[in-house]
Amino acid sequence: MNSYKQSLYAGMIRILANVLMVGAVFFAMREAARPSPWPSEAVFCAWFFGITIPVWLMAYLLTRRVRRHFPAEFESLVELPRKGPQLVRWRVLDEAPRMAPAR
């Protein structure tokens, strides 16, 4: 169930970030069309990157928070020395071999 919630919320965060990025393109184009002492390319880049970099940074941080809150299958939040709680992924490869009886 946590895997479903994790992928659902992470997907919603990414979709919202992409929608905001498309909106940033249109907003930056509108601002670049206005009269300015700066070249229109510089105004566009300033607005576009000024909006999209914080949006994707927040999307990254929210996705990390979702992964910690809803750990997927084979993931656990483990307290590591000097690092604090860390989300670790684990996998069991094979069962340990049994010891042969001593002769």
Side-chain angles (χ1 to χ4, degrees):
M1 187 64 172
N2 278 347
S3 297
Y4 173 75
K5 287 181 182 179
Q6 183 188 58
S7 62
L8 175 70
Y9 294 144
M12 288 172 41
I13 290 168
R14 288 186 190 113
I15 289 171
L16 181 63
N18 280 318
V19 168
L20 290 174
M21 192 170 78
V22 169
V25 168
F26 289 114
F27 182 77
M29 288 173 69
R30 189 188 74 170
E31 292 299 316
R34 291 185 175 186
S36 170
W38 291 87
S40 60
E41 295 88 2
V43 173
F44 175 82
C45 288
W47 279 105
F48 177 71
F49 291 115
I51 294 171
T52 56
I53 289 174
V55 163
W56 280 105
L57 178 65
M58 288 303 299
Y60 173 75
L61 294 174
L62 283 172
T63 303
R64 278 184 60 188
R65 179 170 275 184
V66 165
R67 285 190 178 143
R68 284 176 171 252
H69 196 274
F70 300 109
E73 188 177 7
F74 303 120
E75 290 181 344
S76 300
L77 197 60
V78 176
E79 184 76 32
L80 296 176
R82 293 189 304 256
K83 287 192 173 185
Q86 295 286 320
L87 187 65
V88 294
R89 184 171 287 170
W90 50 273
R91 186 174 64 170
V92 177
L93 295 176
D94 283 328
E95 187 176 316
R98 297 180 190 234
M99 298 280 293
R103 294 185 182 176

